[in-house]
Amino acid sequence: MKKRKIPKFLKLLLISFAVIIGCLLLFIASIYIGAWGKLPTKKELADFQYQQASEVYSRDSVLIGKYYLYDRQPIAFENIPQHVLDALVSIEDERFYNHSGVDYQSLMRVAVKTLLMQDQSSGGGSTISQQLAKNLYPRNERKNTHIAVDKIKEMFMASRLETVFSKDEILAHYLNTVSFGDNTFGIESAALKFFNKKTSDLKVEEAAVLIGMLKATYGYNPRVFPDNSLARRNLVLQSMANNEVLAIAKKDSLVATPLTLDYRKFDYSDGVAPYFREEVRKKLIKWVSSEKEKGNSYNIYTSGLKIYTTLNYKMQVLAEEAMQKHMASLQKTFEKSYGERGPWKTNGKIIEKAIRNSEHYKKLISNGLTHQEARDSLSQQRTMNLMDWKGDNRVSASVIDSIQHYMKFLNTGSLAIDSKTGAVHTWIGGVNFKHFKFDHVAQSRRQVGSTFKPIVYTAALETGIPPCAYFSAREVEYENLKGWSPSNSGDKDEAYLNYAMEESLSKSVNTVAVKVMEATGIENVITQAKKMGVFSELPHQPSLALGTGEIYLNELAGVYASYVNDGKAVLPYLIETITNQKDSVLSHFEPKRAKNSAFSKQTRQIMVEMMKSTINTGTAKRIRSTYKLNNDIAGKTGTTQNNKDAWFVALTPKMVHVTWVGLDNHEIGFKSTAVGQGANAALPLFALWYQQLNKDRSFDAITKAKFETPSPYVLDQLNCEPVKKDGFLKRLFTNPNKKKSKRFKKKE
């Protein structure tokens, strides 16, 4: 029988088909052997590590912030509700439990519909296992050749993943690695960001919103496109019903539910306690460096550390609310006091210096521009955001306009610590972290004014000067100090008055403070300050009595703690414990307290009584009269020369609170003492906050604590007339308008 000849065209077609298949097989084989880049082994796939965000917690276990490159918080499979898994499988990979990593049936469907029928809605055919492979090893190139390579690589990896992990583990790994947009990775971070709750607490409709985002994280972002997100959510719910994991009636009910978010962004500049979180970050960097020397390799952005801090979340929120209320009001009063003559508007020297010190100007000069060219560039109008106490305003302004705008802003720093341990309860480094990064708690050293006087009086008591010693309030011109003549804010009649130490401290009488310093000795005062925890360099000058020394705010808080901590200073600390993601402790931090008392028990009790008088009848009496605080409180106000700095230190049996208010530009001060004194500018930040603490019974242990009762001996020591007036003859021959002239005696 004669053989039929195969037509030539058919031969060519078969040969061509065989060549194509051969080339395709060779191409696939080349990918398998690593010619297009090494495929991860099963061991490498099994040992992969998440890049995890480090989490910062308050003392009362509230998540207050994160440090991350990618915002991810992995969770275990058992913490993922079944309806989250059902939603994922229903919409992304219906045959997930029936394939081994690659769904060839779906691939054929996609090939036929997409390639032959040109149906672009047929989907991509990738399984959850393949998508996990892509999450673990992201695609680097977008060329057609590389997309094909990546697709085949992901198929190989998916098959290997299925042999390494169970189906449940693959679902958990996928949900922990997938992007949900807004730089958020993993279901836990997404749940916290969009609904302010853990994954385990997600409702079915909330889970459907998040799972629906996976198809297009931007297009279905519920924050940006709520209508798109709602439609996608309902499609996910319908898929769950189609796959019989959600009852039809339940689906219909949920589809009618409106889309509701509780969006919480863990942003570097936003949220609670941004200055505190930044200081914690700095300390973590030092900790990581010290751990590296021990052979431990940690990264605060990727190692998934948990940082448990000392911060009290509720206290911090109340402190920030009090700050915003007071500072907004004070800013208004401050600007009104200057009117149209504010230095930020009219003082050319100050404005010019601010321009030259700005980063914008320095950058232009470093790029080779002349001063005039730089100034011309900075004078050009553009659209920008300028902050005020109502929010950010979109305006047309120049960089110079913005420099002048921010020059006028009052700033603040406030800190509350446990007086026994130094644990930080609240930390406010400024009025707005986004616009003012400088931290006035840890970075700023300012003259502390009259808040230094208690140290002077403590030194005086320790050197044997009795609390009922009297000092004349008369103004003195010191011949050996170039005619330096400290004065008081009182009337001329003060020239006839002699103050006991308690009264002079409570009324903050400058002339008396200098005389107490003179009687005590400058060196004795400085030595006493160091014993009490002052580590900043202090000026060896009589003006130190008036607080011309520059001290950090957190340093001052630790010093004052000695008055209610058996004479022992503390060092404020922020971090209690650092753990890994599984809560295994990596480091625990102990309070740093002075070993020895800086002064006697008797001195301590006398000083607390003196500072109680400051609150009850002295410069801080508005604590009682205006703010109606009846708690046990001692304290001291402070105002520096030319009203540049306003201070208030509040001392309670269990806590120290320090507040500073002023301007970052040292050349600008308050217009008047009435506005800029510590009692008006700084004290309300404590008083408003403490009013709120009094309303919350959870703070009773602090707010209802009592100072110890002074010994009978101490009470007897303080039992004297607060003020004595000069006799008739002395008053007759004293001219209150004429300063007394003498030499300042420097005690050896």
Side-chain angles (χ1 to χ4, degrees), residues 57 74 77 129 220 226 318 335 404 473 478-479 555 567 592 623 687 701 744:
Y57 290 90
F77 176 80
S129 303
Y220 293 121
L318 293 173
E335 291 182 37
Q404 291 180 255
Y478 294 98
E479 299 167 354
E555 179 183 4
K592 293 183 179 179
I623 283 280
F744 185 91

Side-chain angles (χ1 to χ4, degrees), residues 274-306:
Y275 293 94
F276 177 83
R277 287 186 274 114
E278 172 58 11
E279 186 65 16
V280 168
R281 188 187 70 85
K282 291 177 181 177
K283 293 191 180 300
L284 276 175
I285 289 172
K286 291 181 180 178
W287 176 80
V288 166
S289 179
S290 66
E291 287 294 307
K292 197 170 184 180
E293 294 174 4
K294 301 175 187 176
N296 298 321
S297 181
Y298 299 114
N299 186 306
I300 68 171
Y301 303 106
T302 61
S303 295
L305 303 171
K306 290 186 177 181

Side-chain angles (χ1 to χ4, degrees), residues 49-105:
Q49 296 292 320
Y50 299 117
Q51 282 195 349
Q52 304 175 44
S54 290
E55 304 160 14
V56 185
Y57 290 90
S58 66
R59 191 169 210 161
D60 36 353
S61 300
V62 177
L63 179 64
I64 60 173
K66 303 179 186 181
Y67 309 119
Y68 57 84
L69 299 178
Y70 304 105
D71 184 3
R72 179 187 288 121
Q73 293 170 261
I75 54 172
F77 176 80
E78 52 266 27
N79 294 327
I80 304 173
Q82 186 61 44
H83 55 259
V84 172
L85 303 173
D86 290 340
L88 174 64
V89 172
S90 296
I91 196 71
E92 291 290 327
D93 189 357
E94 290 180 339
R95 289 171 40 77
F96 174 71
Y97 292 103
N98 299 320
H99 62 67
S100 299
V102 180
D103 188 351
Y104 295 102
Q105 182 177 318

Side-chain angles (χ1 to χ4, degrees), residues 79 90 96 112 165 283 336 359 403 433 455 473 565 579 665:
N79 294 327
S90 296
F96 174 71
V112 171
F165 299 114
K283 293 191 180 300
K336 186 177 179 181
E359 292 302 318
I403 291 171
F433 187 72
I455 299 174
N565 188 33
T579 75
N665 190 320

Side-chain angles (χ1 to χ4, degrees), residues 466-478:
C468 278
Y470 288 91
F471 294 86
S472 171
R474 186 178 179 185
E475 191 173 340
V476 173
E477 185 176 83
Y478 294 98

Side-chain angles (χ1 to χ4, degrees), residues 338 343 347 349-350 353-354 644 663-669:
Y338 273 106
N347 193 313
K349 283 187 178 180
I350 292 178
K353 188 183 289 187
K644 297 291 179 65
L663 289 100
D664 287 332
N665 190 320
H666 289 232
E667 295 183 80
I668 305 176

Side-chain angles (χ1 to χ4, degrees), residues 59 276 309-312 315 415-427 557-558 561 570-576 589-593 654-656 702:
R59 191 169 210 161
F276 177 83
T309 70
T310 64
L311 193 83
N312 186 298
M315 280 189 176
L415 178 72
I417 65 170
D418 183 298
S419 54
K420 299 293 182 186
T421 66
V424 171
H425 291 321
T426 69
W427 179 299
V570 300
L571 192 66
Y573 76 104
L574 298 77
I575 302 173
E576 294 273 14
F589 299 86
E590 296 293 333
K592 293 183 179 179
R593 293 172 281 197
K654 292 190 176 182
M655 187 170 62
V656 177
I702 292 173

